[in-house]
Amino acid sequence: MTATVTPGRTDRADSGEMLGKGDARRRLPRIPDRTRRGGLPYLLLLPAVVLELLIHLIPMVIGIVMSFRRLTQFYIRNWGEAPWTALDNYKVAVDFDAPIGQALLHSFFVTCLFTVLTVGLCWLFGVSAAIMMQDSFRGRGFLRAVFLTPYALPVYAAVITWAFMFQRDNGLINHVLHDQLGLTDQPSFWLIGDNSFIALVVVAVWKSWPFAFLIVMAGLQNIPRELYEAASIDGAGVWQQIRKITLPSLRPVNQVLVLVLFLWTFNDFNTPYVLFGRAAPEAADLISIHIYQSSFVTWNFGSGSAMSVLLLLFLLVVTAVYLLLTTRGRRGADA
Amino acid sequence: MRTIRAAAAVTVVTALAAVTGCGGGTSSDGGGSNESPKTLTYWASNQGPSIEADKKILTPELKKFEKQTGIKVKLEVIPWSDLLNRILAATTSGQGPDVLNIGNTWSASLQATGALLPWDQKNFDAIGGRDRFVDSAVASAGAEGKDPAAVPLYSLAYALYYNKQMFADAGITQPPATWDQLVADGKKISKNGKWALGAEGGNLANNIHQVFVLGKQHGADFFDSAGKPTFTSAGAVAAVKQYVHFMAKDKIVAPGNAEYAQNQSLQDFANGRTAMVLWQAAASTFAAQGMKPADWGVAPVPVPAGAPGTGQNTNSMVAGINMAVFKNTRNSDGAKEFVKFMTSDAEQKLLNKTYGSIPPVKAAQQDPAFSAPDLKVLRDTLATSAAPLPQVPTESQFETTVGTAVKDLWADAAAGRPVTTESVRAHLAKAQQLMQQ
């Protein structure tokens, strides 16, 4: 396509010269009809389509096929020979009277609570920090860089550092809470027992809120300053300006931000795996680790695949409902 | 809005595809056609202090092999945490190394995949015969009644390591031989910030090793003769309860040990915070942490009463590393030649001395280097009172489910919650139900 563009034409278009409708049509690079019929656009799309197929869609289809087979270590060498089990893996996964179903359900609820808390806190911290950083002040650049640091660090290194800090006897957290501030009667366990959920949320929020900060900060750049000036002249306080100008203007940004944070958080594998190892405490047994255990630790790939497909369906439904609701709300607002 | 929806759709598809995508593949049935007789790939497990140290140790030996046979060995040292997943991936794709190390507790599970070359009479003859190896080590290389899936390479056993000074300070003159003595001694030691016994409550494999031995002492296996789990048998429940009671009831294990999973109990031992640990060949680790050999003693792991021996006085699992040949190798003759080299008397002496393990080859075991006090305890244990973990295909699931149950019970003990027969049985029952997928 570039071969049809002459330098003179591009220079003129780039200079912003006003062109009539006819001129624009005349000066734009023209793709010969023969090329169009030859399917050049499709050819250009082909690498992306092939990669998408290879990396995502084919493995996904294989995963779905696996979910209908009794795929254990006896068949992993040639999984096509694993016995067909129809819906057995699904029945086991959703039999909530039996231990496997109960464990999956427990894990699902833990993940839901974890997601709501983590996404909520990330959004709150991200929006608050971005609003505070909106006006320029001395040291703003430095603070912005500091806030973004967790997002820039390698996940493994960051989370393993947290794991050290959460150790009961030698960790920094207990040293501060117990030894220095005297807030607890005795050093607490953070990596086992019920507190492990708190540790998990703390690390996940620490790791993810800078993303919210970054996205909201970018969104704030698009709000005209005149709106705030006019509001200020009309006597609106800071809180009113946030409520009436900032948050409504950020709505499209927040819609995408919350969706992306939700998907990332619900599927978070790195944080619990590095923090707790391959067997997370019951209180912090996220569904990603649960499925990993079913598939790769107990070598029951069929059952693990069925759980993955159920998770996929759940996320699809939630996302569809979310998009439907937010789209409807937006349409209403636009009207 | 269309842009947002499109972006959201792309995000959803990408994220969800990542969740659901499971690898898979078909095997290419190589079957040892010896197409590449001059090269081999070897996955070695990480045995030494680091991967680099292992490369340094093994490279000269591989050069020696190349000089002898003309076969070049490409070495890759793989950390334990990655090894099993790498083997599974290789098994699934059919694209694995020619020769690899496996943990001996995985033998039967990996054997069930059919990816490893069975060591029948003919293959054993090619490396000098099955009789060259210690029986218990061969027994831990595959399911009973089947040709082993691997050949023993390094053998290890558990022993009781104790701090001589801490024992002397508590007025204890000799290491405990029975569990009652250990608890009694432990109560004398466990005061003023010092603790008697170290544990790795968060380490699933270590939990299994310990409760398996205690189970044997209570007359229980965790599987019946048909390979079905029997986790809730009275002996198994008693074994797990006894182990966790060292913290919950006897108070001779520090509560913090419940979350240990990175060998922190060895650091505590080296720092004088803990007086005893049950471990495999820990001497080099203590030396690396600044302890002198005279600072610690080594004794057999305690038994209920009397002395260690066969049967109920089993006091260790047969630990160790085996060497397997990938069935898909294109150089099966060369691979067997390499196994023969690595299990030769000379290499066995050299490598096991370096790694502080015991040679599973009988002739090499007679070397005086393996008669040092600590290694003699390990050697005698292996010869007389060690038993292999259940060689069943579901062994790896057993490690995870029961190991996790014990981990959760440690957490209960650390939090001060009671650990009773009922609570132990409930945890083990749940583990057993999870096995029956």
Side-chain angles (χ1 to χ4, degrees):
Chain A
M1 198 188 321
T2 50
T4 62
V5 180
T6 63
R9 280 174 182 164
T10 50
D11 288 347
R12 202 168 164 194
D14 288 345
S15 69
E17 188 178 335
M18 294 296 288
L19 298 172
K21 201 175 176 182
D23 293 335
R25 192 181 298 137
R26 208 169 47 243
R27 282 170 172 74
L28 280 174
R30 183 177 292 169
I31 300 170
D33 287 347
R34 197 179 52 205
T35 309
R36 281 179 203 267
R37 280 198 301 273
L40 181 64
Y42 298 106
L43 194 67
L44 294 172
L45 278 174
L46 194 62
V49 171
V50 168
L51 283 174
E52 184 62 24
L53 277 172
L54 286 177
I55 296 169
H56 286 138
L57 295 177
I58 291 176
M60 187 161 73
V61 171
I62 290 172
I64 293 169
V65 172
M66 280 179 173
S67 71
F68 294 105
R69 292 179 181 272
R70 189 177 302 285
L71 187 57
T72 60
Q73 68 262 49
F74 297 102
Y75 298 101
I76 59 166
R77 193 158 161 256
N78 193 351
W79 60 265
E81 289 178 3
W84 192 260
T85 60
L87 291 172
D88 281 5
N89 288 327
Y90 290 91
K91 286 177 189 163
V92 168
V94 298
D95 180 1
F96 301 131
D97 292 328
I100 294 168
Q102 279 172 3
L104 184 67
L105 191 64
H106 168 81
S107 170
F108 173 75
F109 285 134
V110 169
T111 311
C112 287
L113 186 59
F114 167 73
T115 305
V116 168
L117 278 173
T118 304
V119 173
L121 289 171
C122 284
W123 181 84
L124 189 66
F125 292 161
V127 170
S128 308
I131 289 173
M132 282 192 286
M133 297 283 146
Q134 199 175 7
D135 294 326
S136 76
F137 57 88
R138 198 179 173 87
R140 184 172 72 154
F142 173 75
L143 271 181
R144 275 181 175 174
V146 169
F147 285 176
L148 290 173
T149 305
Y151 193 57
L153 286 174
V155 175
Y156 185 88
V159 179
I160 201 84
T161 306
W162 274 102
F164 289 134
M165 293 200 300
F166 274 122
Q167 281 186 358
R168 178 185 186 264
D169 293 337
N170 308 311
L172 181 71
I173 307 289
N174 276 345
H175 181 62
V176 172
L177 293 180
H178 178 70
D179 302 339
Q180 294 190 327
L181 300 177
L183 294 176
T184 53
D185 295 337
Q186 55 183 352
S188 310
F189 284 100
W190 296 103
L191 299 175
I192 56 174
D194 294 343
N195 287 346
S196 56
F197 182 77
I198 298 171
L200 185 64
V201 172
V202 167
V203 179
V205 169
W206 176 86
K207 185 167 68 75
S208 300
W209 82 268
F211 175 72
F213 170 63
L214 192 67
I215 296 297
V216 174
M217 209 162 54
L220 288 175
Q221 308 304 314
N222 291 328
I223 305 175
R225 303 300 302 167
E226 294 80 11
L227 290 177
Y228 292 102
E229 287 162 12
S232 185
I233 290 166
D234 289 344
V238 174
W239 178 237
Q240 271 186 310
Q241 288 179 25
I242 290 172
R243 257 185 349 118
K244 302 285 186 184
I245 301 173
T246 309
L247 291 179
S249 304
L250 283 176
R251 196 172 170 183
V253 171
N254 277 331
Q255 282 172 357
V256 177
L257 173 66
V258 169
L259 180 65
V260 170
L261 278 178
F262 164 74
L263 289 170
W264 284 356
T265 308
F266 211 94
N267 290 323
D268 190 3
F269 178 81
N270 294 332
T271 313
Y273 187 78
V274 180
L275 211 50
F276 307 119
R278 58 186 178 144
E282 209 173 342
D285 185 25
L286 294 191
I287 207 157
S288 55
I289 285 281
H290 198 83
I291 292 174
Y292 165 78
Q293 272 205 326
S294 293
S295 303
F296 297 99
V297 179
T298 60
W299 298 17
N300 204 323
F301 301 95
S303 177
S305 297
M307 291 176 188
S308 290
V309 173
L310 291 174
L311 176 62
L312 168 76
L313 292 174
F314 169 76
L315 291 178
L316 270 177
V317 169
V318 171
T319 307
V321 170
Y322 177 84
L323 287 176
L324 205 67
L325 290 176
T326 51
T327 309
R328 184 181 295 164
R330 182 76 192 275
R331 279 202 201 106
D334 290 345
Chain B
M1 181 49 64
R2 283 177 69 183
T3 312
I4 292 172
R5 287 172 71 176
V10 170
T11 310
V12 172
V13 168
T14 308
L16 299 184
V19 168
T20 319
C22 290
T26 54
S27 69
S28 57
D29 204 1
S33 60
N34 300 311
E35 288 166 15
S36 311
K38 293 298 171 194
T39 55
L40 284 175
T41 309
Y42 174 41
W43 284 359
S45 51
N46 180 200
Q47 298 297 129
S50 68
I51 285 173
E52 286 309 312
D54 275 324
K55 284 182 184 166
K56 222 173 198 174
I57 292 164
L58 291 171
T59 302
E61 305 315 304
L62 303 184
K63 293 271 182 214
K64 210 187 286 178
F65 175 69
E66 186 179 353
K67 205 172 169 189
Q68 282 178 17
T69 60
I71 300 173
K72 186 177 168 56
V73 180
K74 290 180 198 161
L75 171 71
E76 189 177 353
V77 181
I78 301 178
W80 277 106
S81 51
D82 295 341
L83 186 58
L84 191 56
N85 278 348
R86 291 283 300 273
I87 296 172
L88 283 180
T91 303
T92 311
S93 66
Q95 304 297 316
D98 300 289
V99 184
L100 66 159
N101 285 4
I102 62 173
N104 69 358
T105 61
W106 306 337
S107 295
S109 293
L110 291 174
Q111 185 178 38
T113 68
L116 303 180
L117 184 80
W119 285 85
D120 56 15
Q121 176 81 33
K122 186 177 144 223
N123 287 336
F124 258 122
D125 286 347
I127 62 166
R130 182 177 174 142
D131 294 343
R132 292 181 61 241
F133 298 89
V134 175
D135 284 344
S136 62
V138 178
S140 66
E144 200 178 334
K146 289 186 177 175
D147 291 323
V151 174
L153 184 64
Y154 313 122
S155 285
L156 290 163
Y158 275 86
L160 177 76
Y161 290 81
Y162 61 96
N163 183 313
K164 289 180 182 172
Q165 187 59 51
M166 289 176 77
F167 266 44
D169 291 347
I172 303 163
T173 52
Q174 56 184 7
T178 67
W179 292 116
D180 287 344
Q181 287 171 10
L182 183 139
V183 172
D185 290 347
K187 287 182 176 172
K188 289 180 198 166
I189 297 167
S190 300
K191 54 181 88 161
N192 303 324
K194 311 272 186 195
W195 294 89
L197 185 64
E200 293 277 324
N203 183 328
L204 309 189
N206 190 270
N207 283 339
I208 287 298
H209 298 167
Q210 307 291 355
V211 300
F212 166 73
V213 168
L214 290 169
K216 279 281 184 192
Q217 294 179 358
H218 284 277
D221 273 319
F222 284 81
F223 291 87
D224 64 16
S225 55
K228 292 234 183 318
T230 54
F231 301 165
T232 53
S233 70
V237 172
V240 172
K241 189 176 156 195
Q242 182 186 350
Y243 187 46
V244 182
H245 264 192
F246 289 142
M247 179 191 289
K249 179 167 163 272
D250 305 323
K251 314 281 186 198
I252 61 171
V253 175
N257 285 204
E259 66 179 15
Y260 282 8
Q262 308 291 335
N263 300 350
Q264 295 99 319
S265 60
L266 298 187
Q267 289 169 23
D268 285 353
F269 183 86
N271 295 333
R273 292 176 62 187
T274 305
M276 294 179 272
V277 283
L278 301 163
W279 211 261
Q280 319 167 28
S284 57
T285 307
F286 297 149
Q289 302 218 12
M291 283 187 99
K292 296 188 189 83
D295 294 342
W296 75 79
V298 185
V301 173
V303 290
T310 52
Q312 290 201 359
N313 274 347
T314 296
N315 66 349
S316 175
M317 46 87 71
V318 178
I321 315 303
N322 295 340
M323 201 170 190
V325 172
F326 210 60
K327 214 186 226 172
N328 278 8
T329 177
R330 286 182 291 178
N331 186 3
S332 62
D333 290 344
K336 278 184 269 185
E337 195 67 33
F338 183 51
V339 175
K340 184 181 180 183
F341 171 80
M342 293 289 277
T343 55
S344 66
D345 293 356
E347 284 304 309
Q348 280 287 293
K349 285 179 199 170
L350 190 150
L351 291 171
N352 281 285
K353 270 183 214 169
T354 308
Y355 286 128
S357 49
I358 304 289
V361 171
K362 291 173 190 168
Q365 235 181 51
Q366 302 313 312
D367 189 280
F370 303 107
S371 298
D374 57 336
L375 291 180
K376 188 172 180 309
V377 171
L378 301 180
R379 199 182 74 183
D380 292 347
T381 299
L382 275 174
T384 61
S385 56
L389 276 174
Q391 292 292 318
V392 293
T394 50
E395 197 281 333
S396 63
Q397 289 98 315
F398 163 57
E399 280 194 27
T400 306
T401 54
V402 175
T404 303
V406 178
K407 177 183 173 177
D408 292 342
L409 285 162
W410 279 120
D412 284 348
R417 286 190 284 268
V419 175
T420 63
T421 301
E422 289 69 36
S423 71
V424 172
R425 185 174 286 121
H427 276 88
L428 290 176
K430 185 180 162 196
Q432 180 159 324
Q433 285 165 325
L434 290 172
M435 287 284 288
Q436 292 167 341
Q437 292 188 51

